[in-house]
Amino acid sequence: MTKSELIQRLAEQNPHLFHRDVERIVTTIFDSITDALARGERVELRGFGAFSVKRRDARTGRNPRTGDSVDVSEKCVPFFKTGKQLRERLNTD
Amino acid sequence: MSESTVTRAQLTEAVYQEVGLSRNESAQLVESVLEEISGALVRGEAVKISSFGSFAIREKGERIGRNPKTGEEVPILPRKVLVFRASHVLKEKINESA
């Protein structure tokens, strides 16, 4: 499922809303999550999962092709932990 | 690092501010978005949200684990796990403000 398919499905379930409003709703949700993570905040959606940011220290990496060492500076990476309820749903057949 | 946590309430508020819906309906839409994504994943479908990231299901085979407290060997049954891969856009946004 892509973002546009998600919007399409929601638009069908909510015929009283304009398609462009459904689009704005979906965009707003993902933008809000992105902004929170950019501020270093955690996003916790019970039953679904939690997004957080983890810091990676600077390290000396290697170019796997040439073997040259390269300095990799400190950076932050997004992380998602699946919620308990969704994890259980994925495993009930 | 994270002094506050964003939850459904903040997402609902953002939707409420952005679109002219009631708070109640905004909350329902937030829930529907999460439910649609969950439903697709449970059906085994990957979910790709452009400029945010993608969610995919990975099937894990059975392996032998160990109870770290007792040292006892226990089989870990085959299971499905959800993996999230952040898009380049999301990774860049997280690092540009750091």
Side-chain angles (χ1 to χ4, degrees):
Chain A
M1 183 164 76
T2 61
K3 184 179 171 182
S4 52
E5 285 163 358
L6 170 64
I7 291 165
Q8 188 58 44
R9 290 179 69 104
L10 292 163
E12 283 164 14
Q13 290 164 21
N14 296 277
H16 60 295
L17 298 179
F18 287 117
H19 195 278
R20 62 156 196 275
D21 283 340
V22 178
E23 223 173 283
R24 275 168 70 198
I25 290 164
V26 172
T27 300
T28 300
I29 291 171
F30 289 109
D31 284 355
S32 302
I33 298 173
T34 301
D35 293 348
L37 293 173
R39 291 191 303 267
E41 288 172 21
R42 192 180 141 83
V43 180
E44 197 176 299
L45 304 164
R46 285 284 160 93
F48 181 77
F51 296 92
S52 58
V53 174
K54 292 191 174 185
R55 209 183 60 115
R56 297 276 180 260
D57 285 330
R59 62 186 170 90
T60 305
R62 276 191 190 277
N63 179 328
R65 192 171 302 175
T66 62
D68 293 345
S69 54
V70 274
D71 288 329
V72 181
S73 50
E74 175 191 296
K75 64 177 175 184
C76 291
V77 293
F79 180 77
F80 177 75
K81 185 172 190 279
T82 313
K84 196 175 167 191
Q85 202 186 315
L86 180 54
R87 202 185 325 132
E88 282 166 5
R89 271 178 76 187
L90 290 172
N91 288 290
T92 46
D93 300 306
Chain B
M1 179 173 237
S2 48
E3 55 290 302
S4 58
T5 301
V6 169
T7 62
R8 280 175 174 78
Q10 284 76 23
L11 298 184
T12 297
E13 188 61 25
V15 170
Y16 171 75
Q17 299 287 342
E18 182 70 27
V19 194
L21 300 176
S22 69
R23 280 204 167 78
N24 210 342
E25 201 172 8
S26 302
Q28 275 173 30
L29 260 305
V30 170
E31 209 50 57
S32 299
V33 167
L34 297 179
E35 183 44 44
E36 280 302 322
I37 297 173
S38 304
L41 293 166
V42 170
R43 290 194 301 273
E45 253 180 76
V47 177
K48 289 181 190 174
I49 307 295
S50 66
S51 69
F52 183 75
S54 60
F55 299 89
I57 300 299
R58 199 169 285 170
E59 308 238 5
K60 298 282 213 173
E62 182 176 315
R63 64 187 170 90
I64 302 297
R66 210 179 268 278
N67 180 328
K69 204 172 281 181
T70 64
E72 195 187 343
E73 285 190 350
V74 276
I76 298 175
L77 299 175
R79 66 202 201 285
K80 289 175 188 156
V81 295
L82 173 54
V83 287
F84 172 70
R85 271 201 67 194
S87 76
H88 284 287
V89 179
L90 178 57
K91 286 182 189 169
E92 275 164 24
K93 284 194 175 154
I94 284 173
N95 282 288
E96 73 193 15
S97 55

